[in-house]
Coordinates of all heavy atoms in Angstrom, one line a residue:
M1 N 20.2 -1.5 -9.2 CA 19.4 -0.6 -10.1 C 17.9 -0.9 -9.8 O 17.4 -2.0 -10.0 CB 19.7 -1.0 -11.6 CG 19.0 -0.1 -12.6 SD 19.8 1.4 -12.9 CE 18.7 2.1 -14.1
S2 N 17.3 0.1 -9.3 CA 15.9 -0.1 -8.9 C 14.9 0.1 -10.1 O 15.3 0.9 -11.1 CB 15.5 0.9 -7.8 OG 14.2 1.4 -7.9
F3 N 13.8 -0.5 -10.1 CA 12.8 -0.3 -11.1 C 12.4 1.2 -11.3 O 12.1 1.6 -12.4 CB 11.5 -1.1 -10.7 CG 10.4 -0.9 -11.6 CD1 10.3 -1.7 -12.8 CD2 9.4 0.0 -11.4 CE1 9.2 -1.6 -13.6 CE2 8.3 0.1 -12.2 CZ 8.2 -0.6 -13.3
W4 N 12.5 1.9 -10.3 CA 12.0 3.3 -10.3 C 13.1 4.3 -10.7 O 12.8 5.5 -10.9 CB 11.5 3.7 -8.9 CG 10.4 2.8 -8.5 CD1 10.5 1.8 -7.6 CD2 9.0 2.8 -8.9 NE1 9.3 1.1 -7.5 CE2 8.4 1.7 -8.3 CE3 8.3 3.5 -9.8 CZ2 7.1 1.4 -8.5 CZ3 7.0 3.2 -10.0 CH2 6.4 2.2 -9.3
N5 N 14.3 3.9 -10.9 CA 15.4 4.8 -11.2 C 15.2 5.8 -12.3 O 15.6 7.0 -12.1 CB 16.7 4.0 -11.5 CG 17.5 3.7 -10.2 OD1 16.9 3.9 -9.1 ND2 18.7 3.2 -10.3
S6 N 14.6 5.4 -13.4 CA 14.4 6.3 -14.5 C 13.1 7.0 -14.5 O 12.7 7.7 -15.4 CB 14.7 5.5 -15.8 OG 13.7 4.5 -15.9
E7 N 12.3 6.7 -13.5 CA 10.9 7.2 -13.4 C 10.9 8.6 -12.7 O 11.7 8.9 -11.8 CB 10.0 6.3 -12.7 CG 9.9 4.9 -13.3 CD 9.2 4.9 -14.6 OE1 8.1 5.6 -14.7 OE2 9.6 4.2 -15.5
R8 N 9.9 9.4 -13.1 CA 9.7 10.7 -12.5 C 8.3 10.8 -12.0 O 7.4 10.2 -12.6 CB 10.0 11.8 -13.5 CG 11.5 12.0 -13.8 CD 12.2 12.9 -12.9 NE 13.6 12.6 -12.7 CZ 14.4 13.3 -11.8 NH1 13.9 14.2 -11.1 NH2 15.6 12.9 -11.7
C9 N 8.1 11.5 -11.0 CA 6.8 11.7 -10.4 C 5.8 12.4 -11.4 O 6.2 13.4 -12.0 CB 6.8 12.6 -9.1 SG 5.2 12.9 -8.4
E10 N 4.6 11.9 -11.6 CA 3.7 12.4 -12.6 C 3.2 13.8 -12.2 O 2.7 14.6 -13.0 CB 2.5 11.5 -12.7 CG 2.7 10.2 -13.5 CD 1.4 9.4 -13.4 OE1 0.3 9.9 -13.2 OE2 1.6 8.1 -13.5
Y11 N 3.2 14.0 -10.9 CA 2.6 15.3 -10.3 C 3.6 16.4 -10.2 O 3.3 17.5 -10.6 CB 2.0 15.0 -9.0 CG 0.8 14.0 -9.1 CD1 1.0 12.6 -9.0 CD2 -0.4 14.5 -9.4 CE1 0.0 11.8 -9.2 CE2 -1.5 13.6 -9.6 CZ -1.3 12.3 -9.5 OH -2.3 11.4 -9.7
C12 N 4.8 16.1 -9.7 CA 5.7 17.2 -9.5 C 7.1 17.1 -10.2 O 7.9 17.9 -10.1 CB 6.0 17.4 -8.0 SG 7.0 16.1 -7.3
G13 N 7.3 15.9 -10.9 CA 8.5 15.7 -11.6 C 9.7 15.3 -10.7 O 10.8 15.2 -11.2
G14 N 9.4 15.0 -9.4 CA 10.5 14.6 -8.5 C 11.0 13.3 -8.8 O 10.4 12.5 -9.5
A15 N 12.2 12.9 -8.2 CA 12.8 11.6 -8.3 C 12.0 10.6 -7.5 O 11.4 11.0 -6.4 CB 14.2 11.6 -7.9
I16 N 12.0 9.4 -7.9 CA 11.2 8.3 -7.2 C 12.2 7.3 -6.6 O 13.1 6.8 -7.3 CB 10.2 7.7 -8.1 CG1 9.1 8.7 -8.5 CG2 9.6 6.5 -7.5 CD1 8.1 8.2 -9.5
I17 N 12.1 7.0 -5.4 CA 12.9 6.0 -4.7 C 12.1 4.8 -4.2 O 10.9 5.0 -4.0 CB 13.7 6.6 -3.5 CG1 12.8 7.2 -2.5 CG2 14.8 7.6 -4.0 CD1 13.5 7.5 -1.2
E18 N 12.7 3.7 -4.1 CA 11.9 2.5 -3.7 C 11.9 2.4 -2.1 O 13.0 2.6 -1.5 CB 12.5 1.2 -4.3 CG 11.6 0.0 -3.9 CD 11.8 -1.2 -4.8 OE1 11.9 -1.0 -6.0 OE2 11.9 -2.3 -4.3
K19 N 10.8 2.2 -1.6 CA 10.6 2.1 -0.1 C 9.6 1.0 0.1 O 8.8 0.7 -0.8 CB 10.0 3.4 0.5 CG 11.0 4.5 0.7 CD 10.4 5.6 1.5 CE 11.4 6.7 1.8 NZ 10.7 7.8 2.5
T20 N 9.6 0.4 1.3 CA 8.5 -0.5 1.7 C 7.6 0.3 2.6 O 8.0 1.0 3.5 CB 9.0 -1.8 2.4 OG1 9.7 -1.4 3.5 CG2 9.8 -2.6 1.5
V21 N 6.3 0.2 2.2 CA 5.3 1.1 2.9 C 4.2 0.2 3.5 O 4.1 -1.0 3.2 CB 4.7 2.1 1.9 CG1 5.7 3.0 1.4 CG2 3.9 1.4 0.8
I22 N 3.4 0.7 4.4 CA 2.2 0.1 4.9 C 1.0 0.6 4.1 O 0.8 1.8 4.1 CB 2.0 0.3 6.4 CG1 3.2 -0.3 7.1 CG2 0.7 -0.3 6.9 CD1 3.2 -0.1 8.6
L23 N 0.3 -0.3 3.5 CA -0.9 0.1 2.7 C -2.1 -0.1 3.5 O -2.4 -1.1 4.1 CB -0.9 -0.7 1.5 CG -1.6 -0.2 0.2 CD1 -0.7 0.8 -0.4 CD2 -1.9 -1.3 -0.7
Y24 N -3.0 1.0 3.6 CA -4.2 0.9 4.3 C -5.4 0.9 3.3 O -5.4 1.7 2.4 CB -4.4 2.0 5.2 CG -5.8 2.2 5.7 CD1 -6.3 1.4 6.7 CD2 -6.6 3.2 5.2 CE1 -7.6 1.5 7.2 CE2 -7.9 3.3 5.6 CZ -8.4 2.5 6.6 OH -9.7 2.6 7.0
R25 N -6.3 0.0 3.4 CA -7.5 0.0 2.6 C -8.7 -0.4 3.5 O -8.6 -1.1 4.4 CB -7.4 -1.1 1.5 CG -6.5 -0.8 0.4 CD -7.1 0.2 -0.6 NE -6.3 0.4 -1.8 CZ -5.3 1.2 -1.9 NH1 -4.9 1.9 -0.8 NH2 -4.6 1.3 -3.0
R26 N -9.8 0.1 3.1 CA -11.1 -0.2 3.7 C -11.8 -1.1 2.7 O -12.1 -0.7 1.6 CB -11.9 1.0 4.0 CG -13.0 0.7 5.0 CD -13.6 1.9 5.5 NE -14.9 1.5 6.1 CZ -15.6 2.3 6.8 NH1 -15.3 3.6 6.9 NH2 -16.8 1.9 7.2
V27 N -12.1 -2.4 3.2 CA -12.9 -3.3 2.3 C -14.2 -3.6 3.0 O -14.2 -4.2 4.1 CB -12.1 -4.6 2.1 CG1 -12.8 -5.5 1.2 CG2 -10.7 -4.3 1.6
R28 N -15.3 -3.1 2.4 CA -16.6 -3.1 3.0 C -16.5 -2.5 4.4 O -16.0 -1.4 4.5 CB -17.2 -4.5 3.0 CG -17.6 -4.9 1.6 CD -18.2 -6.3 1.6 NE -17.2 -7.4 1.7 CZ -16.5 -7.8 0.6 NH1 -16.7 -7.4 -0.6 NH2 -15.6 -8.7 0.8
D29 N -16.8 -3.2 5.5 CA -16.6 -2.6 6.8 C -15.4 -3.0 7.6 O -15.2 -2.7 8.7 CB -17.9 -3.0 7.7 CG -18.0 -4.5 7.8 OD1 -17.4 -5.2 7.0 OD2 -18.8 -4.9 8.7
R30 N -14.4 -3.6 6.8 CA -13.2 -4.0 7.5 C -12.0 -3.1 7.1 O -11.9 -2.6 6.0 CB -12.8 -5.4 7.1 CG -13.9 -6.4 7.5 CD -13.5 -7.8 7.2 NE -12.3 -8.2 8.0 CZ -11.4 -9.1 7.6 NH1 -11.5 -9.6 6.4 NH2 -10.4 -9.4 8.4
H31 N -11.1 -2.8 8.0 CA -9.9 -2.1 7.8 C -8.8 -3.0 7.6 O -8.6 -3.9 8.5 CB -9.6 -1.1 9.0 CG -10.8 -0.2 9.3 ND1 -10.9 1.0 8.7 CD2 -11.8 -0.3 10.1 CE1 -12.0 1.6 9.1 NE2 -12.6 0.8 9.9
V32 N -8.1 -2.9 6.5 CA -7.1 -3.9 6.2 C -5.7 -3.2 6.0 O -5.7 -2.1 5.3 CB -7.4 -4.7 4.9 CG1 -6.3 -5.7 4.6 CG2 -8.8 -5.4 5.1
L33 N -4.7 -3.7 6.6 CA -3.3 -3.1 6.4 C -2.5 -4.2 5.7 O -2.6 -5.4 6.1 CB -2.7 -2.8 7.8 CG -3.3 -1.6 8.6 CD1 -2.6 -1.5 9.9 CD2 -3.1 -0.3 7.8
V34 N -1.7 -3.8 4.8 CA -0.8 -4.7 4.1 C 0.6 -4.1 4.4 O 0.9 -3.0 3.9 CB -1.0 -4.9 2.6 CG1 -0.1 -5.9 2.0 CG2 -2.5 -5.3 2.4
E35 N 1.4 -4.9 5.1 CA 2.8 -4.4 5.5 C 3.8 -4.8 4.5 O 3.6 -5.7 3.7 CB 3.2 -5.0 6.8 CG 2.4 -4.6 8.0 CD 2.9 -5.3 9.3 OE1 3.3 -6.5 9.2 OE2 3.0 -4.6 10.3
N36 N 4.9 -4.0 4.5 CA 6.1 -4.4 3.7 C 5.8 -4.4 2.2 O 6.3 -5.2 1.4 CB 6.6 -5.8 4.0 CG 7.1 -5.8 5.5 OD1 7.8 -4.9 5.9 ND2 6.7 -6.8 6.2
V37 N 5.0 -3.4 1.7 CA 4.6 -3.3 0.3 C 5.7 -2.5 -0.4 O 6.0 -1.4 0.0 CB 3.2 -2.6 0.1 CG1 2.9 -2.5 -1.4 CG2 2.2 -3.4 0.9
P38 N 6.4 -3.1 -1.4 CA 7.3 -2.3 -2.1 C 6.7 -1.3 -3.0 O 5.8 -1.6 -3.8 CB 8.1 -3.4 -3.0 CG 7.2 -4.5 -3.0 CD 6.2 -4.5 -1.9
A39 N 7.1 0.0 -2.8 CA 6.5 1.1 -3.6 C 7.5 2.0 -4.1 O 8.6 2.1 -3.5 CB 5.5 1.8 -2.7
G40 N 7.2 2.8 -5.1 CA 8.1 3.9 -5.5 C 7.5 5.1 -4.8 O 6.3 5.4 -5.0
V41 N 8.3 5.9 -4.1 CA 7.8 7.0 -3.4 C 8.6 8.3 -3.9 O 9.8 8.3 -4.0 CB 8.1 6.9 -1.9 CG1 7.5 8.1 -1.1 CG2 7.4 5.6 -1.4
C42 N 7.8 9.3 -4.3 CA 8.4 10.6 -4.7 C 9.1 11.3 -3.6 O 8.5 11.4 -2.5 CB 7.3 11.4 -5.3 SG 7.9 13.1 -5.8
V43 N 10.3 11.7 -3.8 CA 11.1 12.3 -2.7 C 10.6 13.7 -2.5 O 10.8 14.3 -1.4 CB 12.6 12.4 -3.0 CG1 13.2 10.9 -3.0 CG2 12.9 13.1 -4.3
E44 N 9.9 14.3 -3.5 CA 9.4 15.7 -3.3 C 8.0 15.8 -2.6 O 7.8 16.4 -1.7 CB 9.3 16.4 -4.7 CG 10.6 16.4 -5.5 CD 11.6 17.4 -4.8 OE1 11.2 18.3 -4.1 OE2 12.8 17.1 -5.0
C45 N 7.0 15.0 -3.2 CA 5.7 15.2 -2.7 C 5.1 14.0 -2.0 O 4.1 14.0 -1.4 CB 4.7 15.6 -3.8 SG 4.4 14.2 -5.0
G46 N 5.9 12.9 -2.0 CA 5.5 11.7 -1.2 C 4.5 10.8 -1.9 O 4.0 9.8 -1.4
M47 N 4.1 11.2 -3.2 CA 3.2 10.3 -4.0 C 3.8 8.9 -4.1 O 5.0 8.7 -4.3 CB 3.1 11.0 -5.4 CG 2.1 10.3 -6.3 SD 0.4 10.5 -5.7 CE -0.4 9.2 -6.6
R48 N 2.9 8.0 -3.9 CA 3.3 6.6 -4.0 C 2.9 5.9 -5.3 O 1.8 6.2 -5.8 CB 2.7 5.8 -2.9 CG 3.2 6.1 -1.5 CD 2.3 5.4 -0.5 NE 2.8 5.6 0.9 CZ 2.3 5.0 1.9 NH1 1.3 4.1 1.7 NH2 2.8 5.2 3.1
Y49 N 3.8 5.1 -5.9 CA 3.5 4.4 -7.1 C 3.7 2.9 -6.8 O 4.6 2.5 -6.1 CB 4.4 4.8 -8.2 CG 4.2 6.3 -8.6 CD1 4.9 7.3 -7.9 CD2 3.2 6.7 -9.5 CE1 4.7 8.6 -8.2 CE2 3.0 8.0 -9.8 CZ 3.8 9.0 -9.1 OH 3.6 10.3 -9.4
Y50 N 2.8 2.1 -7.4 CA 3.0 0.6 -7.3 C 3.0 0.0 -8.6 O 2.3 0.4 -9.6 CB 1.7 0.1 -6.5 CG 1.5 0.8 -5.2 CD1 0.6 1.8 -5.1 CD2 2.3 0.4 -4.0 CE1 0.4 2.5 -3.9 CE2 2.1 1.1 -2.8 CZ 1.1 2.1 -2.7 OH 1.0 2.7 -1.6
T51 N 3.8 -1.1 -8.7 CA 3.8 -1.9 -10.0 C 2.6 -2.8 -10.0 O 2.0 -3.0 -9.0 CB 5.1 -2.8 -10.0 OG1 5.0 -3.7 -9.0 CG2 6.4 -1.9 -9.9
A52 N 2.3 -3.2 -11.2 CA 1.1 -4.0 -11.5 C 1.2 -5.3 -10.6 O 0.2 -5.8 -10.1 CB 1.0 -4.4 -13.0
N53 N 2.4 -5.9 -10.5 CA 2.5 -7.1 -9.8 C 2.2 -6.9 -8.3 O 1.6 -7.7 -7.6 CB 4.0 -7.7 -9.9 CG 4.1 -8.6 -11.1 OD1 3.1 -9.0 -11.7 ND2 5.4 -8.8 -11.4
V54 N 2.7 -5.8 -7.8 CA 2.5 -5.5 -6.4 C 1.0 -5.3 -6.1 O 0.4 -5.8 -5.2 CB 3.3 -4.2 -6.0 CG1 2.8 -3.7 -4.6 CG2 4.8 -4.6 -5.9
L55 N 0.3 -4.5 -7.0 CA -1.1 -4.3 -6.9 C -1.9 -5.6 -6.9 O -2.9 -5.7 -6.2 CB -1.6 -3.3 -8.0 CG -1.2 -1.9 -7.7 CD1 -1.7 -1.0 -8.9 CD2 -1.8 -1.3 -6.4
K56 N -1.5 -6.5 -7.7 CA -2.1 -7.8 -7.8 C -2.1 -8.5 -6.5 O -3.1 -9.1 -6.0 CB -1.5 -8.6 -8.9 CG -2.2 -9.9 -9.2 CD -1.7 -10.5 -10.5 CE -2.2 -11.9 -10.7 NZ -1.3 -12.9 -10.1
T57 N -0.9 -8.6 -5.9 CA -0.7 -9.2 -4.6 C -1.5 -8.5 -3.5 O -2.1 -9.1 -2.6 CB 0.8 -9.3 -4.2 OG1 1.5 -9.9 -5.3 CG2 1.0 -10.0 -2.9
V58 N -1.6 -7.2 -3.5 CA -2.3 -6.4 -2.6 C -3.8 -6.8 -2.7 O -4.5 -7.0 -1.7 CB -2.1 -4.9 -2.8 CG1 -3.2 -4.1 -2.0 CG2 -0.7 -4.5 -2.3
E59 N -4.3 -6.8 -4.0 CA -5.7 -7.2 -4.2 C -6.0 -8.6 -3.6 O -7.1 -8.8 -3.0 CB -6.0 -7.2 -5.7 CG -6.2 -5.8 -6.3 CD -7.4 -5.1 -5.6 OE1 -8.5 -5.6 -5.6 OE2 -7.1 -3.9 -5.1
E60 N -5.1 -9.5 -3.8 CA -5.3 -10.9 -3.3 C -5.4 -10.9 -1.8 O -6.2 -11.6 -1.2 CB -4.2 -11.8 -3.8 CG -4.4 -12.1 -5.3 CD -3.2 -12.9 -5.9 OE1 -2.2 -13.0 -5.2 OE2 -3.3 -13.3 -7.1
S61 N -4.6 -10.0 -1.2 CA -4.6 -9.9 0.3 C -6.0 -9.3 0.7 O -6.6 -9.9 1.7 CB -3.5 -9.0 0.8 OG -2.3 -9.5 0.3
L62 N -6.4 -8.3 0.0 CA -7.6 -7.6 0.5 C -8.8 -8.5 0.3 O -9.8 -8.3 1.0 CB -7.8 -6.3 -0.4 CG -6.7 -5.3 -0.2 CD1 -7.1 -4.0 -1.0 CD2 -6.6 -4.9 1.3
H63 N -8.8 -9.4 -0.6 CA -10.0 -10.3 -0.8 C -9.8 -11.6 -0.2 O -10.5 -12.6 -0.5 CB -10.2 -10.4 -2.3 CG -10.7 -9.1 -2.9 ND1 -9.8 -8.2 -3.6 CD2 -11.8 -8.4 -2.8 CE1 -10.5 -7.1 -3.9 NE2 -11.7 -7.2 -3.4
G64 N -8.9 -11.7 0.8 CA -8.8 -12.9 1.6 C -8.2 -14.1 0.9 O -8.4 -15.3 1.4
R65 N -7.5 -13.9 -0.2 CA -7.0 -15.1 -0.9 C -5.6 -15.4 -0.4 O -4.9 -16.3 -0.9 CB -7.0 -14.8 -2.4 CG -8.4 -14.9 -3.0 CD -8.4 -15.1 -4.5 NE -8.0 -13.8 -5.1 CZ -8.8 -12.9 -5.5 NH1 -10.1 -13.0 -5.3 NH2 -8.4 -11.8 -6.1
R66 N -5.0 -14.6 0.5 CA -3.8 -14.9 1.1 C -4.0 -15.1 2.6 O -4.9 -14.5 3.2 CB -2.7 -13.8 0.8 CG -2.4 -13.7 -0.6 CD -1.5 -12.5 -0.8 NE -0.1 -12.8 -0.3 CZ 0.6 -11.9 0.4 NH1 0.1 -10.7 0.7 NH2 1.8 -12.2 0.9
E67 N -3.1 -15.9 3.2 CA -3.3 -16.1 4.7 C -2.8 -14.8 5.4 O -1.8 -14.3 5.1 CB -2.4 -17.3 5.1 CG -2.6 -17.7 6.5 CD -1.8 -19.0 6.8 OE1 -1.3 -19.6 5.9 OE2 -1.6 -19.2 8.0
M68 N -3.7 -14.3 6.3 CA -3.3 -13.1 7.0 C -2.3 -13.4 8.1 O -2.2 -14.5 8.6 CB -4.6 -12.4 7.6 CG -5.1 -13.0 8.9 SD -6.4 -12.0 9.6 CE -7.7 -12.3 8.4
K69 N -1.4 -12.4 8.3 CA -0.3 -12.6 9.2 C -0.8 -12.4 10.6 O -0.4 -13.1 11.5 CB 0.7 -11.5 8.8 CG 2.0 -11.5 9.7 CD 2.8 -10.3 9.4 CE 3.6 -9.9 10.7 NZ 3.9 -8.5 10.7
Q70 N -1.8 -11.5 10.8 CA -2.1 -11.1 12.1 C -3.4 -10.3 12.0 O -3.7 -9.6 11.1 CB -1.0 -10.1 12.6 CG -1.1 -9.6 14.0 CD 0.0 -8.7 14.3 OE1 0.5 -8.0 13.4 NE2 0.5 -8.7 15.5
E71 N -4.3 -10.5 13.1 CA -5.5 -9.7 13.1 C -5.4 -8.9 14.4 O -5.2 -9.4 15.5 CB -6.7 -10.6 13.1 CG -8.0 -9.7 12.9 CD -9.2 -10.5 12.3 OE1 -9.1 -11.8 12.3 OE2 -10.2 -9.9 12.0
V72 N -5.6 -7.6 14.3 CA -5.5 -6.7 15.5 C -6.9 -6.0 15.6 O -7.6 -5.8 14.6 CB -4.4 -5.7 15.4 CG1 -3.0 -6.4 15.4 CG2 -4.5 -4.8 14.2
L73 N -7.2 -5.7 16.9 CA -8.4 -4.9 17.1 C -8.1 -3.4 17.1 O -7.2 -3.0 17.7 CB -9.0 -5.3 18.4 CG -9.5 -6.8 18.5 CD1 -9.9 -7.1 19.9 CD2 -10.7 -7.0 17.6
A74 N -9.0 -2.7 16.4 CA -8.8 -1.2 16.4 C -9.6 -0.7 17.6 O -10.6 -1.2 18.0 CB -9.3 -0.7 15.1
P75 N -9.1 0.4 18.2 CA -9.9 1.1 19.3 C -11.2 1.6 18.8 O -11.3 2.2 17.8 CB -8.9 2.2 19.7 CG -8.0 2.4 18.6 CD -7.9 1.2 17.8
V76 N -12.2 1.4 19.7 CA -13.6 1.9 19.4 C -14.0 2.8 20.5 O -13.8 2.4 21.7 CB -14.6 0.7 19.3 CG1 -16.0 1.2 19.0 CG2 -14.1 -0.2 18.1
Y77 N -14.5 4.0 20.2 CA -14.9 4.9 21.3 C -16.5 5.1 21.2 O -17.0 5.0 20.1 CB -14.3 6.3 21.1 CG -12.8 6.2 21.2 CD1 -12.0 6.0 20.1 CD2 -12.2 6.4 22.5 CE1 -10.6 6.0 20.3 CE2 -10.9 6.3 22.6 CZ -10.1 6.1 21.5 OH -8.7 6.1 21.7
S78 N -17.0 5.3 22.3 CA -18.5 5.6 22.4 C -18.6 6.9 23.0 O -18.0 7.2 24.1 CB -19.2 4.5 23.2 OG -20.6 4.9 23.3
F79 N -19.4 7.8 22.5 CA -19.5 9.2 23.0 C -20.5 9.2 24.2 O -21.5 8.6 24.1 CB -20.0 10.1 21.9 CG -19.9 11.6 22.3 CD1 -18.6 12.2 22.2 CD2 -20.9 12.3 22.8 CE1 -18.5 13.5 22.6 CE2 -20.8 13.6 23.2 CZ -19.6 14.2 23.1
Ligands
ZN1 ZN1 6.0 14.1 -6.7

């Protein structure tokens, strides 16, 4: 029984299923990805929902309070 089983999408009323997603955030001038984030995803419109606990862990990651798994360089182009 998933946390999201009885929930409905706020936007379209679709069913919500649990998935792990990659969360992208920009923090100041840095691009940060958090992998394997458990989220509720609407099967109709793709809207993502996160529980308070998950958001707290994401915030801790974004502010460097957790050990990063990996740092990758993003491609940079010059015109
Ligand atoms: Zn929806």
